[in-house]
Amino acid sequence: MQTMSAAAARRTVLAAQGFADSRPTGEVDRRHLQRVLGRTKLLQLDSVNVAVRAHYMPVYSRLGAYSPELLDAAAWPDGQRARGRKSRLLVEYWAHEASLVPVRDWPLLRWRMRQYGSASQRRYRDLLERSPSLIDDVLAAVKEIGPVGAGRLERELGGGQRQGRGPWWNRTDTKRACELLFATGELTTGTRRGFERLYELPERVLPPEILSADFEEDEAVRGLVERSAHALGVATEADLRDYYRLSPAQSRKAVAELVDGGVLEPVAVRGWDRQAYRHARARTPRAVTGRALLCPFDPLVWERSRTERVFGFRYRIEIYVPRPQRVYGYYVFPFLLDGQLVARVDLKADRAAGVLRVPGAFSEPGSDIGRVASELAAALREMAAWLQLGEVAVGERGDLAEPLRQAA
């Protein structure tokens, strides 16, 4: 079995995620977006909009400034449905949480749709018993007026009984029915209005060859694990499993088959306490240079134990932590510089004031604070310009705040 140094493994990981690719020198176009998607395989969706929506940021981190409309057109094309089918690159589904996945990969998740269909008989029993016709009514309404949001469907059909407490979970029966149908693949997202999902029939969103494609679960899972391995470069079985939220049994079987097929190569990484696997086409560059701010839902860092193992960087999102107990801040971005995570910054886009606010900035132990501050200041100015914010305002928290303020 080949042995890799931790540094070589880290460079392999960064190359797999696209951080060893040269950035475009001109306008970013659809070809560049497809290159990023070829690396990451998916983009996670999240409702938090403190700085920028989660699905836009990984593309920016790898390409630099681009028009978000480029991604919108790939995921939620406007215009006639026929033209939308031709131009759509991405479709929404549950992959690594709620995600945008390439249209061609949608059939690889149909086994999950079937699982949700079976599970719904238990999870949604109260809804199905209370409103036995609601599922059919929602489907009929979407067929007639889609793409349509849950709010309008509630008005058309009557919202029904609310479930749960609090604004996040206070969903009506109609909304729950929409989400059930989305999970089972009977509805998808036609487009979005703001961040509101507008439901649509899959046959009016996806091309016929995608709708007709299907795979046995083992074959589909093997395809997903191969995609995980390609996106991660070198990874443990648990890392590969996490990328598409697979079960241990599914993942272990697929890993063994991919090793037998020569797609994965078992390797030992010095300092890692678990068996690792490298994709057969993974490359290990001599060096990785450049800088990038990473949102909390970037696939390079979203699995926190892997981030700590690969980069020696302990990272937790503190959105749900009460303010007095937060260590670094509400929405913290790691800063990647020349292949290392060297700092983290709490960011907030104050759109009313036209300011990118940095309430806190913190260096990692052993980093060159002067250089980190200079590079981070430049990265923040670039991000502010991309977000159409006029300036960067650095707060008081963190050992990097004062050097960053001077550099900014």
Side-chain angles (χ1 to χ4, degrees):
M1 184 186 303
Q2 185 177 350
T3 298
M4 301 180 70
S5 69
R10 184 170 58 250
R11 295 195 304 273
T12 305
V13 167
L14 289 163
Q17 279 286 308
F19 289 101
D21 297 340
S22 58
R23 289 192 173 189
T25 55
E27 182 179 358
V28 175
D29 60 24
R30 191 176 177 94
R31 292 176 299 110
H32 299 115
L33 176 60
Q34 288 176 304
R35 187 184 74 186
V36 170
L37 297 172
R39 297 293 192 189
T40 66
K41 309 303 181 188
L42 53 82
L43 299 170
Q44 185 174 343
L45 294 161
D46 190 80
S47 61
V48 177
N49 196 26
V50 175
V52 59
R53 295 282 185 199
H55 56 288
Y56 293 122
M57 191 65 197
V59 179
Y60 173 78
S61 299
R62 290 155 179 79
L63 295 179
Y66 75 103
S67 171
E69 285 75 21
L70 180 68
L71 180 54
D72 291 343
W76 308 291
D78 293 325
Q80 297 178 349
R81 285 169 178 152
R83 194 181 74 184
R85 283 202 303 268
K86 181 181 292 186
S87 62
R88 185 183 294 264
L89 291 177
L90 295 162
V91 64
E92 292 184 36
Y93 193 62
W94 295 104
H96 183 91
E97 304 298 336
S99 303
L100 289 167
V101 301
V103 166
R104 66 180 179 274
D105 288 350
W106 189 82
L108 295 176
L109 295 160
R110 297 191 77 158
W111 62 269
R112 179 167 284 165
M113 299 172 197
R114 289 190 285 267
Q115 283 191 351
Y116 277 125
S118 299
S120 67
Q121 299 302 315
R122 301 184 300 274
R123 183 177 177 184
Y124 292 90
R125 180 179 298 169
D126 63 321
L127 170 63
L128 298 173
E129 290 178 350
R130 185 170 58 250
S131 306
S133 67
L134 182 58
I135 298 296
D136 290 339
D137 291 344
V138 167
L139 283 171
V142 172
K143 183 177 182 179
E144 180 178 350
I145 60 177
V148 59
R152 182 177 175 187
L153 286 171
E154 288 169 357
R155 293 191 295 273
E156 295 283 340
L157 303 174
Q161 180 175 326
R162 289 191 176 272
Q163 300 292 316
R165 292 182 173 182
W168 288 355
W169 306 112
N170 199 10
R171 292 181 168 182
T172 64
D173 283 353
T174 302
K175 176 64 175 176
R176 294 177 71 210
C178 290
E179 287 301 292
L180 168 59
L181 290 165
F182 177 85
T184 59
E186 295 170 86
L187 289 180
T188 187
T189 304
T191 187
R192 281 186 179 259
R193 182 173 51 223
F195 199 66
E196 180 190 13
R197 177 182 286 157
L198 302 187
Y199 297 94
E200 183 58 288
L201 301 178
E203 55 265 35
R204 299 203 294 223
V205 169
L206 299 170
E209 64 271 19
I210 296 298
L211 291 167
S212 62
D214 201 358
F215 300 90
E216 294 296 328
E217 181 177 330
D218 283 355
E219 183 181 1
V221 169
R222 194 162 54 248
L224 293 174
V225 172
E226 194 278 333
R227 284 160 174 74
S228 301
H230 191 265
L232 294 174
V234 60
T236 66
E237 180 274 320
D239 297 338
L240 297 170
R241 177 200 320 164
D242 174 76
Y243 213 77
Y244 288 94
R245 294 292 202 249
L246 303 170
S247 73
Q250 288 176 313
S251 176
R252 289 167 187 160
K253 184 174 188 293
V255 167
E257 291 169 348
L258 290 168
V259 169
D260 288 344
V263 177
L264 297 183
E265 302 168 347
V267 295
V269 179
R270 296 190 188 98
W272 292 22
D273 60 359
R274 299 181 186 178
Q275 172 70 63
Y277 302 89
R278 180 176 57 195
H279 194 283
R281 297 200 309 274
R283 66 188 184 96
T284 305
R286 292 179 178 273
V288 176
T289 59
R291 62 184 180 231
L293 286 158
L294 308 170
C295 81
F297 302 103
D298 192 290
L300 184 67
V301 296
W302 66 26
E303 210 298 298
R304 308 311 189 202
S305 63
R306 174 177 167 84
T307 303
E308 193 163 353
R309 184 185 338 115
V310 173
F311 294 100
F313 186 90
R314 191 175 190 277
Y315 182 44
R316 301 292 183 272
I317 190 167
E318 298 183 87
I319 289 175
Y320 308 111
V321 177
R323 183 185 299 233
Q325 298 173 25
R326 290 178 194 146
V327 177
Y328 297 108
Y330 182 79
Y331 202 62
V332 174
F333 284 55
F335 181 50
L336 178 70
L337 180 62
D338 293 344
Q340 298 277 5
L341 295 177
V342 297
R344 62 190 91 200
V345 284
D346 188 17
L347 294 184
K348 176 180 174 60
D350 186 343
R351 296 170 180 86
V355 174
L356 180 61
R357 300 199 181 277
V358 189
F362 307 82
S363 69
E364 285 297 289
S367 61
D368 180 341
I369 289 182
R371 180 165 185 265
V372 168
S374 175
E375 294 283 352
L376 179 55
L380 290 167
R381 288 192 297 268
E382 291 165 356
M383 183 174 174
W386 175 57
L387 295 175
Q388 299 182 333
L389 301 172
E391 63 178 295
V392 176
V394 182
E396 303 293 330
R397 297 185 63 246
D399 67 311
L400 200 53
E402 180 58 30
L404 183 60
R405 189 160 41 248
Q406 292 179 7

